[in-house]
Amino acid sequence: MAPIPWGRFPTLAEHQLARRWLQFMANIGRASNTIDAYGRAVENHLRFCAVEGTDPVLAGADTVAAWIWDMLDRPRQRSAKAPLHPETGLANATVQQRLVAVRSFYEYLVEDGLRERNPVRRGQSSRRGRRPRQGLARRLEQAPWIPNENVWQRVLVACATQPLRNRLMVALAYDGALRHEELVQLAVGDFEHVHRLIHLRAETTKFQRAREVAFGVTSSELSVAYLNERRGMFGRIDGPLFRSASNRNYGKPVGPSTWSKTVEGIAHRAGVARLSTHTFRHLRLTDLARADWTIDQIAQYAGHRDLATTMRYIHLSGRELAARLHRASASIQQDRENLLAALAAVQ
């Protein structure tokens, strides 16, 4: 059976059906990050049911609605490095993610004949002539934040004070539009330095699909320098690229939490609270759109399955959209003038 860190979800681990469900999800090949997110979500739901004195197997839509309200009403946790005004309610994306996981759990119980209906109602779009139906929690579609040129310059200045390894991680995160799991799982053998390509292995990607991304001259120079430094520190050439230099985990591969903390530190030094590990990916995909890549090309580079996801990632400014409109309008007007010119040519 696929290994699961049960200690992270003690309530779930003690619940026989929930434990069976999560083990099933792991056994059919769900990514480890998905298993972790699903486990935490159902753990939270089971704890809420325990407080309410409700058996999760018998819980109805009213219990799920009460749980949603609890998530929307609880205080948000903020980093001490980037304090903001206090707010209540988990982020909409977090609520939606938890609902997906709990819906999957109840769907498993329905398929197993332990329930007749799933209490987590699924939303339905209006496409294909269907009547739209709202899910239990309204989904908020927000454009991803990306830095403008001045803010990006501040971020790079803050990055310049980082160790060589971290500077390379920043450069590759941007160049390859890499998810944080893809970045930390890079291996030395994934690089084709002659053509400045990275071969992302299927097992390291979100949807288990291999793809190739490129890296620039700066990343190439940083990579050569880091490999020399790495060889001197650890005496290793192959294997995971990014390794820890701390006394506690010396020589061990860097994990997602280390990368997240690194970006938090950069954000604090740059005074850019909204900077996250995904910002580099968002900016790169937007820059590809600015360079007139097609949506299909950007989706392939990003590793997206759905073009709608690609559209959400691309965030062109109003000025850029206006400039494109003016260029298109000018081109159309010129075409019209050329056609009308034929009238003047008639004698």
Side-chain angles (χ1 to χ4, degrees), residues 103-133:
R103 182 186 298 121
S104 174
F105 167 59
Y106 281 118
E107 190 64 34
Y108 177 80
L109 297 183
V110 171
E111 292 177 354
D112 228 24
L114 299 173
R115 289 186 60 101
E116 291 186 4
R117 300 180 63 183
N118 192 326
V120 186
R121 188 177 70 197
R122 186 187 298 271
Q124 180 174 289
S125 70
S126 58
R127 290 180 295 183
R128 299 179 182 177
R130 295 180 301 189
R131 183 177 181 180
R133 185 178 67 182

Side-chain angles (χ1 to χ4, degrees), residues 243-264:
R243 295 184 179 272
S244 174
S246 68
N247 293 330
R248 181 179 179 183
N249 298 308
Y250 191 79
K252 293 182 179 180
V254 167
S257 61
T258 299
W259 172 230
S260 296
K261 291 177 182 177
T262 296
V263 174
E264 286 180 6

Side-chain angles (χ1 to χ4, degrees), residues 131-178:
R131 183 177 181 180
R133 185 178 67 182
Q134 179 67 41
L136 290 180
R138 183 178 298 276
R139 183 181 295 274
L140 303 179
E141 295 290 350
Q142 297 181 344
W145 175 84
I146 61 170
N148 59 33
E149 294 305 312
N150 291 333
V151 174
W152 180 238
Q153 187 62 38
R154 282 160 47 194
V155 170
L156 295 181
V157 169
C159 290
T161 63
Q162 291 288 304
L164 182 57
R165 183 201 70 191
N166 295 349
R167 282 180 277 150
L168 175 59
M169 294 182 78
V170 167
L172 291 178
Y174 168 76
D175 280 347
L178 299 176

Side-chain angles (χ1 to χ4, degrees), residues 17-318:
L17 295 175
R19 186 183 181 107
R20 276 176 47 196
W21 162 77
L22 193 61
Q23 186 65 68
F24 171 79
M25 300 299 290
N27 288 345
I28 63 175
R30 292 291 187 269
S32 59
N33 288 328
T34 300
I35 294 300
D36 184 73
Y38 276 24
R40 292 179 186 277
V42 174
E43 170 78 11
N44 183 267
H45 179 65
L46 294 179
R47 289 185 179 182
F48 176 82
C49 288
V51 171
E52 294 292 302
T54 301
D55 183 351
V57 179
L58 303 177
D62 55 342
T63 299
V64 175
W67 174 55
I68 292 173
W69 173 253
D70 179 70
M71 290 190 288
L72 296 176
D73 194 49
R74 70 181 58 171
R76 291 191 187 183
Q77 294 182 349
R78 293 297 185 186
S79 169
K81 294 182 179 179
L84 298 176
H85 295 295
E87 299 179 40
T88 58
L90 299 182
N92 182 261
T94 302
V95 174
Q96 296 293 340
Q97 182 188 65
R98 290 187 176 183
L99 284 174
V100 168
V102 173
R103 182 186 298 121
S104 174
F105 167 59
Y106 281 118
E107 190 64 34
Y108 177 80
L109 297 183
V110 171
E111 292 177 354
D112 228 24
L114 299 173
R115 289 186 60 101
E116 291 186 4
R117 300 180 63 183
N118 192 326
V120 186
R121 188 177 70 197
R122 186 187 298 271
Q124 180 174 289
S125 70
S126 58
R127 290 180 295 183
R128 299 179 182 177
R130 295 180 301 189
R131 183 177 181 180
R133 185 178 67 182
Q134 179 67 41
L136 290 180
R138 183 178 298 276
R139 183 181 295 274
L140 303 179
E141 295 290 350
Q142 297 181 344
W145 175 84
I146 61 170
N148 59 33
E149 294 305 312
N150 291 333
V151 174
W152 180 238
Q153 187 62 38
R154 282 160 47 194
V155 170
L156 295 181
V157 169
C159 290
T161 63
Q162 291 288 304
L164 182 57
R165 183 201 70 191
N166 295 349
R167 282 180 277 150
L168 175 59
M169 294 182 78
V170 167
L172 291 178
Y174 168 76
D175 280 347
L178 299 176
R179 301 180 178 94
H180 64 280
E181 301 94 340
E182 296 169 344
L183 178 65
V184 299
Q185 293 186 76
L186 288 176
V188 176
D190 295 335
F191 287 74
E192 187 178 339
H193 289 277
V194 175
H195 297 100
R196 295 208 293 267
L197 289 174
I198 303 174
H199 303 280
L200 296 176
R201 290 163 284 129
E203 62 269 23
T204 69
T205 65
K206 183 175 182 179
F207 299 113
Q208 310 294 296
R209 294 181 178 180
R211 71 180 193 279
E212 292 182 340
V213 295
F215 58 94
V217 175
T218 299
S219 291
S220 181
E221 294 175 352
L222 289 171
S223 176
V224 171
Y226 175 66
L227 287 174
N228 289 332
E229 178 184 89
R230 179 177 173 275
R231 187 180 300 111
M233 295 176 63
F234 311 118
R236 300 174 181 176
I237 298 178
D238 297 325
L241 176 61
F242 299 115
R243 295 184 179 272
S244 174
S246 68
N247 293 330
R248 181 179 179 183
N249 298 308
Y250 191 79
K252 293 182 179 180
V254 167
S257 61
T258 299
W259 172 230
S260 296
K261 291 177 182 177
T262 296
V263 174
E264 286 180 6
I266 293 172
H268 180 63
R269 279 186 288 274
V272 183
R274 300 183 70 179
L275 183 72
S276 71
T277 57
H278 245 45
T279 300
F280 307 104
R281 176 173 167 84
H282 292 162
L283 179 59
R284 179 55 159 171
L285 298 182
T286 297
D287 284 345
L288 293 180
R290 290 165 172 164
D292 291 327
W293 278 40
T294 67
I295 294 299
D296 288 327
Q297 291 170 331
I298 297 173
Q300 180 179 350
Y301 197 85
H304 289 154
R305 293 191 301 184
D306 188 347
L307 292 181
T309 303
T310 309
M311 294 298 295
R312 288 198 297 268
Y313 270 62
I314 296 172
H315 182 62
L316 297 180
S317 70

